[in-house]
Amino acid sequence: MKLPQPLTLRPFRPADDAPVLRSWVPGPLDLMTWAGPHFTWPLDDAQLAAYAAEPGRRTWTAVSPDGTPLGHVSLADGRLGRVLIAPGARGRGLGRRLVSLAVSLGFDELALTEIGLGVWTHNTAALRIYEKLGFRTTETLEAVETVDGVPWSVHRMRLTASDRRQ
């Protein structure tokens, strides 16, 4: 298995990062997959700036050693969300690395005792990452959204500081 290239998290800078992030979300289905109903299509810089400024929300851009943006993640009120890897960088293990970095920040720097998240039940790649890092499903909510006539369900998952795996 090829090891993922190194990633670091730096604070999300809407003026610099919003255009790149928008390019990773090319359509309304991608937007719903990434962020649920929080944003409206078309995604724009103003929505991303308002999101980054939400009280209690920490947002990061994952960057390669040369500073190239490769991912995005946020934590708000103990909830991990808006996890996204740049389309051209997918399939290299970066998603696991990105989530692991955010979990470490949550537990080690923010002193959270648990981290929760919601993930679409059909998003099997994300589910595998979360499960490998120790997240466990605590509840499944059926048909919380209907997208193009198809009901989407969500798993609520959580990880406690004592159960975490790197």
Side-chain angles (χ1 to χ4, degrees), residues 73-93:
V73 65
S74 74
L75 270 171
D77 302 320
R79 289 191 51 81
L80 181 74
R82 309 308 185 307
V83 177
L84 188 63
I85 295 294
R90 293 178 187 159
R92 297 189 222 165

Side-chain angles (χ1 to χ4, degrees), residues 64-78:
S64 68
D66 69 2
T68 302
L70 295 175
H72 178 85
V73 65
S74 74
L75 270 171
D77 302 320

Side-chain angles (χ1 to χ4, degrees), residues 25-46:
V25 184
L29 183 64
D30 304 286
L31 182 62
M32 179 62 80
T33 300
W34 173 59
H38 184 81
F39 297 109
T40 58
W41 186 258
L43 183 61
D44 58 36
D45 293 351

Side-chain angles (χ1 to χ4, degrees), residues 14 22 27-28 54 74 76 125:
R22 279 189 301 102
E54 290 173 6
S74 74

